[in-house]
């Protein structure tokens, strides 16, 4: 495949998604989800009057005002006024590209609660209470216990089962669940709207056979294999299946090393940070049965650096991956395979645009510097790589299939 990098945005004639149309999904994020999020934060923390004023001011600005820049004292003022500034300050929030504005909103939220400031609230995760409650829930107990019942006819069948567990774990998105109807109604359409599992399995076999482009050797992983990168999405109930999949890729010899890439600081509502990975690992490690054994292996693998963590500022950038910096490009290029989890990573991978849904996935990801796969439940408008028949079936269903979280896709390209 020709992976010649094109200039970001070149040839991208599909309109960028914005939030200005009443009744649209992005419009609802600003007018329904964010107000509910602010109420949730107010219930979770005894914020000071100054913090409450800052939060109220931000919410009012998003609904009634225009986008204001970060204060000059912000530690990242230069990047938001330079590389990440796309000229949207002074616009209404709903008139800026949805991806850019939503990302900047969460940066401003952290500023409002003092996450980066010099005071006592520094480094406090405003979404921490929700993450902790989910991680300690009975649902997680049941999901961990379910590992003891997993029976498959082959190693590849087990891989498939764990890939799908990691895929559907993406439903455990606290931001999405703030306003979503979480009932799981039966659909007449298949839940996987695009299914490249055969390609993904081939990529995993290839990773094992060639030892990776940068991982090399057996790395203590038994039968060899290369380095596989997993770009995580949400913490808690979604992250645990990611960890279980990582353990399987190591123990099955499909990978000699796993790199888990996380956010460098809290972002959106439930996005995973290093602290969240460690909390989830402890949760799995102390579980009984097969889950506990998985946790013990992962604990050892992390000590031996067969599982490593990475965090890059660009994971909190308001830009598509097509504009990734060179060091991150090298990170992906050196991997035998990169797996991107979740809706936001998908939006950034293909570009948050109104692509025709039948636009080939390989076409919009051709810039990516190595083999790539996406595991995503659909919770926003953008989608690519559907067959014409699947698109017609979904549209005929009459449901908001792009945004209700009841459908999913597995897409991959060498």
């Amino acid at each position: 495949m020709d992976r010649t990098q094109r200039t970001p945005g070149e040839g991208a004639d599909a309109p960028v998604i914005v939030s200005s149309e009443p009744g649209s999904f992005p419009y609802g994020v600003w007018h329904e989800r964010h107000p509910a999020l602010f109420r949730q934060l107010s219930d979770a923390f005894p914020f000071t009057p100054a913090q409450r004023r800052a939060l109220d001011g931000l919410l009012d600005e998003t609904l009634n005002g225009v986008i204001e820049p970060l204060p000059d004292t912000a530690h990242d003022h230069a990047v938001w006024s330079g590389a990440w500034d796309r000229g949207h300050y002074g616009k209404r929030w709903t008139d800026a590209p949805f991806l850019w504005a939503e990302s900047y909103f969460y940066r401003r939220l952290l500023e409002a609660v003092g996450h980066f400031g010099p005071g006592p609230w520094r480094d406090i995760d405003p979404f921490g209470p929700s993450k902790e409650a989910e991680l300690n829930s009975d649902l997680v107990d049941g999901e961990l216990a379910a590992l003891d019942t997993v029976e498959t006819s082959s190693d590849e069948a087990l891989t498939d089962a764990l890939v799908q567990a990691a895929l559907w774990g993406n439903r455990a998105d606290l931001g999405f669940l703030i306003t979503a109807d979480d009932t799981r109604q039966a659909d007449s359409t298949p839940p996987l709207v695009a299914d490249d599992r055969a390609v993904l399995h081939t990529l995993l076999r290839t990773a094992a056979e060639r030892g990776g482009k940068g991982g090399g050797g057996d790395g203590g992983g038994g039968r060899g294999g290369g380095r596989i990168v997993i770009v995580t999405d949400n913490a808690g109930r979604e992250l645990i299946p990611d960890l279980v999949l990582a353990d399987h890729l190591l123990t099955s010899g499909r990978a000699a090393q796993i790199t888990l890439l996380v956010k460098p600081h809290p972002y959106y509502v439930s996005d995973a940070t290093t602290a969240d990975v460690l909390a989830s690992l402890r949760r799995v490690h102390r579980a009984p049965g097969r889950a506990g054994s998985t946790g013990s292996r992962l604990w050892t693998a992390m000590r031996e650096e067969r599982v490593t963590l990475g965090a890059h500022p660009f994971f909190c950038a308001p830009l598509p991956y097509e504009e990734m910096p060179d060091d991150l490009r090298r990170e992906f290029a050196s991997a035998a395979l990169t797996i991107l989890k979740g809706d936001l990573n998908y939006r950034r991978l293909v570009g948050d645009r109104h692509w025709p849904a039948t636009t080939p996935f390989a076409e919009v990801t051709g810039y990516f510097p190595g083999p790539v796969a996406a595991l995503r439940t659909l919770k926003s408008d953008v989608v690519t790589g559907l067959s014409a028949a699947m698109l017609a079936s979904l549209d005929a269903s009459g449901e908001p299939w792009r945004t209700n979280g009841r459908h999913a896709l597995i897409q991959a390209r060498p």
Side-chain angles (χ1 to χ4, degrees):
M1 175 177 294
D2 180 9
R3 296 199 182 105
T4 301
Q5 184 183 3
R6 57 188 170 92
T7 302
E10 179 186 331
D13 52 359
V16 172
I17 294 173
V18 296
S19 318
S20 54
E21 182 181 348
S24 68
F25 171 77
Y27 187 91
V29 167
W30 298 104
H31 292 82
E32 298 171 17
R33 183 181 298 183
H34 288 172
L37 170 62
F38 277 59
R39 290 192 294 271
Q40 186 182 85
L41 291 175
S42 180
D43 291 340
F45 288 97
F47 286 131
T48 66
Q51 288 171 308
R52 293 198 301 273
R53 285 194 298 272
L55 287 169
D56 289 344
L58 175 60
L59 182 60
D60 182 66
E61 180 186 314
T62 63
L63 296 175
N64 305 303
V66 297
I67 303 171
E68 300 290 347
L70 285 171
D72 293 345
T73 55
H75 76 282
D76 51 354
H77 177 268
V79 70
W80 280 101
S81 299
W84 297 354
D85 177 6
R86 291 298 190 267
H88 303 310
Y89 302 124
K91 294 181 181 178
R92 291 185 60 85
W93 284 79
T94 53
D95 290 335
F98 183 41
L99 177 66
W100 190 96
E102 195 176 19
S103 178
Y104 185 57
F105 164 81
Y106 281 100
R107 173 60 187 88
R108 289 283 304 280
L109 189 155
L110 293 178
E111 192 72 18
V113 300
H115 178 83
F116 296 112
W121 290 84
R122 184 178 181 87
D123 294 331
I124 297 298
D125 185 347
F127 315 120
S130 297
K131 293 177 179 178
E132 182 179 7
E134 185 196 58
L135 190 60
N136 293 321
S137 69
D138 292 342
L139 283 171
V140 172
D141 288 331
E143 289 163 354
L144 290 173
L147 285 175
D148 291 328
T149 67
V150 173
E151 294 183 6
T152 56
S153 58
S154 67
D155 184 67
E156 187 156 307
L158 178 57
T159 302
D160 189 68
L162 295 179
V163 164
Q164 292 216 55
L167 166 67
W168 288 110
N170 186 228
R171 279 180 165 171
D173 176 341
L174 297 175
F176 175 72
L177 295 176
I178 284 173
T179 53
D181 171 12
D182 195 31
T183 57
R184 303 302 179 204
Q185 300 173 359
D187 301 317
S188 58
T189 51
L192 284 182
V193 300
D195 186 357
D196 287 346
R197 278 179 291 174
V199 178
L200 177 57
H201 284 297
T202 298
L203 292 175
L204 290 171
R205 287 193 296 271
T206 301
E209 290 165 0
R210 67 191 177 98
K213 291 185 285 184
D218 69 7
R223 287 184 282 160
R227 184 174 69 95
I228 293 177
V229 171
I230 300 176
V231 184
T232 64
D233 188 35
N234 297 311
R237 285 178 59 209
E238 177 178 352
L239 186 57
I240 286 175
D242 295 346
L243 293 176
V244 173
L245 176 61
D247 170 69
H248 173 69
L249 294 176
L250 287 173
T251 58
S252 66
R254 287 170 173 80
Q257 185 184 36
I258 299 289
T259 299
L260 297 172
L261 296 180
V262 300
K263 304 300 189 298
H265 56 72
Y267 187 60
Y268 284 47
V269 178
S270 54
D271 283 23
T273 64
T274 296
D276 297 318
V277 172
L278 298 177
S280 294
L281 179 57
R282 286 192 293 268
R283 182 75 160 89
V284 177
H285 190 242
R286 68 173 183 259
R290 187 179 292 181
S293 299
T294 298
S296 295
R297 288 192 298 270
L298 286 168
W299 194 278
T300 299
M302 191 168 288
R303 283 182 165 181
E304 297 174 351
E305 294 190 321
R306 287 181 290 116
V307 173
T308 61
L309 297 178
H312 194 288
F314 192 75
F315 290 132
C316 294
L319 307 173
Y321 282 123
E322 191 170 6
E323 299 190 46
M324 72 180 83
D326 289 342
D327 58 341
L328 189 57
R329 182 175 296 278
R330 289 191 294 270
E331 172 84 22
F332 293 138
S334 69
L337 173 65
T338 297
I339 300 172
L340 291 103
K341 287 292 308 293
D343 197 74
L344 177 58
N345 277 321
Y346 188 86
R347 291 165 62 191
R348 297 186 71 192
L349 176 65
V350 305
D352 203 35
R353 295 175 174 271
H354 289 291
W355 297 109
T358 55
T359 303
F361 176 74
E363 177 180 313
V364 293
T365 60
Y367 70 89
F368 201 84
V372 64
L375 307 182
R376 176 221 185 186
T377 56
L378 277 61
K379 292 176 288 190
S380 65
D381 287 317
V382 64
V383 68
T384 66
L386 302 193
S387 69
M390 175 59 73
L391 178 61
S393 176
L394 290 165
D395 285 343
S397 71
E399 64 167 323
W401 59 268
R402 292 173 181 259
T403 60
N404 64 9
R406 294 178 186 145
H407 298 278
L409 58 78
I410 298 174
Q411 291 176 323
R413 58 125 263 250

